[in-house]
Amino acid sequence: MKDNYLVVTADVEDDGTIGLNGIVSARGFSGTSEAWFNVSQVIDLSEQLEHFAKTTENPPEIFGGNLDGEGSLINKLLSLRFYSLSNYRVGVQVEFADHPYTGCRTEEIACVKVDSSP
């Protein structure tokens, strides 16, 4: 692969969930992460991306990670945010993190945040 890349794969389960696994490398920084979503969230993202590609309106974003017992996100593990660079080019900001255990110290969290723009 080239020096700069983003690869996202999907792990679809029978229970209506989907794991997005990401690998990114950009300008010397790299990272991997995974987060689980409802299939409907990923379908919504794909529809938003299709609309965005045609109009550059409403830049799509998806993020997920560890939830508390009530469904609120407490640790963001994977985030993909798309934005327009021009009428024909799209950028993506990628944020991946790894929390080794719930309640870990900030210093123990490995994370990478990279942007595709030059």
Side-chain angles (χ1 to χ4, degrees):
M1 283 190 180
K2 295 181 180 180
D3 292 337
N4 298 320
Y5 58 88
L6 170 64
V7 178
V8 177
T9 58
D11 180 10
V12 182
E13 296 293 325
D14 292 336
D15 65 356
T17 60
I18 184 168
L20 295 182
N21 303 287
I23 301 171
V24 67
S25 179
R27 297 181 300 282
F29 294 92
S30 63
T32 65
S33 194
E34 171 185 67
W36 288 86
F37 302 89
N38 291 320
V39 170
S40 61
Q41 292 174 281
V42 178
I43 291 171
D44 287 346
L45 176 68
S46 67
E47 291 170 352
Q48 292 170 15
L49 280 168
E50 184 176 359
H51 175 76
F52 182 64
K54 294 175 184 176
T55 65
T56 68
E57 298 171 354
N58 301 320
E61 177 179 19
I62 191 166
F63 56 89
N66 296 329
L67 304 176
D68 65 9
E70 299 174 13
S72 297
L73 186 68
I74 56 173
N75 303 122
K76 188 187 297 185
L77 300 179
L78 181 144
S79 171
L80 303 171
R81 187 179 66 81
F82 299 86
Y83 57 91
S84 177
L85 292 170
S86 70
N87 285 339
Y88 304 102
R89 295 180 55 216
V90 172
V92 61
Q93 184 180 64
V94 178
E95 186 175 353
F96 293 159
D98 177 32
H99 295 250
Y101 57 91
T102 303
C104 66
R105 297 178 321 220
T106 303
E107 297 83 3
E108 297 176 89
I109 301 168
C111 73
V112 62
K113 186 174 184 178
V114 297
D115 193 286
S116 69
S117 65

